[in-house]
DNA sequence: CAGCATCCTTGGGGATACTG
DNA sequence: CAGTATCCCCAAGGATGCTG
């Protein structure tokens, strides 16, 4: 979290905004989580775990909570026994998807060119 | 570096390509470095240091070398005394800039909405 | 000027066990 | 089921000093 906006001055061409974005997205499993929620379908915690077997339960919880705090993911708790929790992308979260697709497009081209050499 | 492409199987909807991209871009100072080279003008090492006073010399070298290895940045050494080295974005590096601008646009909207609440 | 070499610290993150 | 709570380790990265 860029604590002081005066940083803007010392790094004039790296906008405060861009810095914030990369800070939010730089969580180790954040891109993966967002990508798995990209279809707009809410998913339960256990479902997410199964989709991402390499992510420990601790990290999944931690990163989901961070995304919730930042307003990219919403967490809906159903008061039942046993408890059920659903995660989904918020409006702002969904708006990241086209960007992710652009990144993916870039990467496809990148890998093609790498293989040539 | 995703060492095995079989990972693609266990994380079916997170493409190998997207994973590669985020891996390259997730270096702590990578976005900042790319942003400072976005104008296409080659910049000398000392120049970069002045532009990014918060980045230590060790990290700047390290991250620039990683970007060079990945083919996003080119490093040109002029055999002089004293030595001069210029860094600039490669073709693939430059193609990231529009994406960065989209991210920036997203972040602007994101911060606006956050302030409302 | 543009680094490389070392030492040292910190916290990110894994493994494991427990709970409402 | 959906998490907390602890312990612990290692490597990312900062500080400092030296060099072709």
């Amino acid at each position: 979290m860029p604590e002081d906006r005066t940083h803007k001055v010392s790094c004039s061409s790296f906008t405060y905004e861009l810095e914030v974005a990369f800070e939010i997205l730089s969580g180790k499993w954040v891109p993966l989580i967002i990508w798995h929620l990209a279809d707009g379908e809410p998913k339960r915690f256990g479902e997410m775990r199964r989709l991402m077997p390499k992510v420990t339960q601790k990290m999944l919880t931690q990163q989901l909570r961070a995304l919730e705090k930042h307003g990219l993911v919403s967490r809906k708790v159903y008061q039942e026994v046993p408890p059920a929790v659903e995660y989904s992308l918020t409006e702002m979260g969904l708006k990241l998807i086209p960007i992710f697709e652009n990144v993916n497009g870039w990467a496809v081209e990148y890998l093609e060119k790498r293989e040539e050499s």
Side-chain angles (χ1 to χ4, degrees), chain A:
Chain A
M1 217 124 297
E3 60 301 321
D4 65 316
R5 298 206 41 162
T6 60
H7 178 55
K8 200 176 179 179
V9 176
S10 57
C11 291
S12 54
S13 59
F14 193 55
T15 68
Y16 170 75
E17 288 79 11
L18 199 57
E19 191 176 3
V20 167
F22 274 104
E23 214 165 276
I24 293 175
L25 297 177
S26 66
K28 190 177 184 187
W29 302 106
V30 163
L32 182 55
I33 290 172
I34 293 180
W35 197 244
H36 276 294
L37 293 173
D39 60 8
E41 294 297 313
K43 290 184 178 55
R44 298 186 55 171
F45 186 77
E47 223 171 329
M48 299 291 284
R49 288 203 68 181
R50 259 170 277 122
L51 289 169
M52 298 172 272
K54 300 213 284 193
V55 187
T56 63
Q57 180 271 348
K58 173 187 169 186
M59 287 313 295
L60 185 55
T61 305
Q62 187 175 302
Q63 306 259 305
L64 278 167
R65 293 297 165 82
L67 285 170
E68 185 194 6
K69 178 181 147 206
H70 290 132
L72 302 203
V73 160
S74 76
R75 178 171 180 267
K76 189 166 183 181
V77 181
Y78 295 89
Q79 287 296 359
E80 305 170 353
V81 179
V85 179
E86 276 185 356
Y87 292 95
S88 58
L89 289 182
T90 62
E91 189 189 349
M92 280 315 291
L94 284 168
K95 286 188 180 175
L96 279 172
I97 305 305
I99 294 179
F100 274 47
E101 281 162 358
N102 286 341
V103 172
N104 189 70
W106 177 89
V108 168
E109 188 181 342
Y110 169 76
L111 288 169
E112 275 172 12
K113 297 215 176 184
R114 292 252 103 182
E115 279 177 31
E116 286 172 21
S117 64

Short mmCIF file of all heavy atoms in Angstrom, two decimals, chain A residues 8 15 32 70 84:
data_model
loop_
_atom_site.label_atom_id
_atom_site.label_comp_id
_atom_site.label_asym_id
_atom_site.label_seq_id
_atom_site.Cartn_x
_atom_site.Cartn_y
_atom_site.Cartn_z
N LYS A 8 4.30 10.11 -5.57
CA LYS A 8 3.99 10.55 -6.92
C LYS A 8 5.03 11.54 -7.43
O LYS A 8 5.36 11.56 -8.61
CB LYS A 8 2.62 11.23 -6.88
CG LYS A 8 1.91 11.33 -8.20
CD LYS A 8 0.53 11.94 -7.96
CE LYS A 8 -0.24 12.08 -9.25
NZ LYS A 8 -1.57 12.64 -8.99
N THR A 15 2.46 6.48 -12.26
CA THR A 15 1.32 7.07 -11.58
C THR A 15 0.98 6.31 -10.31
O THR A 15 1.15 5.09 -10.22
CB THR A 15 0.08 7.08 -12.48
OG1 THR A 15 -0.36 5.74 -12.68
CG2 THR A 15 0.36 7.74 -13.80
N LEU A 32 -4.47 -15.99 -10.44
CA LEU A 32 -5.09 -17.31 -10.56
C LEU A 32 -6.51 -17.31 -10.01
O LEU A 32 -7.44 -17.84 -10.63
CB LEU A 32 -4.23 -18.34 -9.84
CG LEU A 32 -4.69 -19.80 -9.89
CD1 LEU A 32 -4.87 -20.28 -11.32
CD2 LEU A 32 -3.68 -20.69 -9.16
N HIS A 70 -10.12 -5.25 -0.81
CA HIS A 70 -9.86 -4.30 -1.89
C HIS A 70 -11.07 -4.10 -2.80
O HIS A 70 -11.01 -3.30 -3.73
CB HIS A 70 -8.66 -4.76 -2.72
CG HIS A 70 -7.36 -4.65 -2.00
ND1 HIS A 70 -6.44 -5.69 -1.96
CD2 HIS A 70 -6.82 -3.65 -1.25
CE1 HIS A 70 -5.41 -5.32 -1.24
NE2 HIS A 70 -5.60 -4.10 -0.79
N ALA A 84 -21.79 -22.49 4.47
CA ALA A 84 -21.47 -22.37 3.05
C ALA A 84 -21.05 -20.93 2.78
O ALA A 84 -21.66 -19.99 3.29
CB ALA A 84 -22.67 -22.74 2.20
#
